[in-house]
Amino acid sequence: ENESKGVLTYGSTIYLSFIESNKQEYFAYSEGLTRNHVELKSSQALEKESLHVGGLFMVYPAFYNQEYEKGKEKFEKIREGFDELEFSKRENRSLIPKLVKNINEEIRTNYDLFEKIKGTPVKYGSSVQLLHVS
């Protein structure tokens, strides 16, 4: 773990804040599982409604998601043009387990990457991914 104060590292838990010209402070906030978008909440709203946990994000490296995107695209195609006779073909029946296997391998690669660099400083220009921790 990096002992320097003020150094943003992979694995850090952070709040993101924004201050308007009128000095009003807002924080990035998300409900996580129920809604997947990020909105700005005033510091008063966070305090009043005890929403502080909804403003916490963990810093990760930018993850690979090609297999997930390919799987999602194939699943949408199957769902749009679902034909029982077509789906019963052997190649299509084995498609879902292959997609799941590839996605699981990608998840493992992402996890291994994170574990390898956790605690190291984020460098200027690096792409990061924020994971809502609530």
Side-chain angles (χ1 to χ4, degrees):
E1 182 100 8
N2 193 320
E3 306 232 358
S4 301
K5 291 186 183 237
V7 175
L8 182 65
T9 62
Y10 292 102
S12 294
T13 302
I14 63 170
Y15 284 104
L16 295 174
S17 69
F18 165 75
I19 300 176
E20 276 191 321
S21 58
N22 66 1
K23 307 294 185 218
Q24 175 66 47
E25 186 172 22
Y26 294 90
F27 288 89
Y29 170 85
S30 178
E31 292 184 15
L33 297 174
T34 58
R35 288 194 277 173
N36 63 1
H37 67 278
V38 176
E39 56 189 79
L40 293 176
K41 291 266 188 186
S42 70
S43 54
Q44 292 86 358
L46 283 181
E47 194 70 36
K48 180 181 174 187
E49 301 171 36
S50 297
L51 299 173
H52 291 83
V53 173
L56 290 172
F57 295 85
M58 187 173 283
V59 179
Y60 282 88
F63 287 145
Y64 299 105
N65 68 348
Q66 292 86 358
E67 292 301 324
Y68 168 78
E69 290 297 328
K70 280 196 276 187
K72 183 177 163 186
E73 184 179 312
K74 286 180 184 179
F75 177 75
E76 290 297 323
K77 284 181 184 176
I78 289 171
R79 198 169 73 176
E80 286 172 8
F82 186 76
D83 177 349
E84 238 177 89
L85 294 174
E86 188 68 25
F87 192 72
S88 68
K89 289 184 179 176
R90 184 180 190 151
E91 63 190 57
N92 286 335
R93 282 185 292 173
S94 67
L95 177 65
I96 293 175
K98 284 180 188 174
L99 293 174
V100 169
K101 178 182 177 282
N102 291 344
I103 291 169
N104 282 334
E105 287 174 3
E106 189 170 71
I107 290 168
R108 185 66 173 153
T109 299
N110 288 332
Y111 178 79
D112 290 346
L113 170 64
F114 174 67
E115 286 299 314
K116 181 178 177 183
I117 67 171
K118 184 166 71 174
T120 63
V122 175
K123 294 189 170 120
Y124 180 80
S126 298
S127 294
V128 296
Q129 183 169 324
L130 301 175
L131 176 69
H132 187 250
V133 295
S134 133

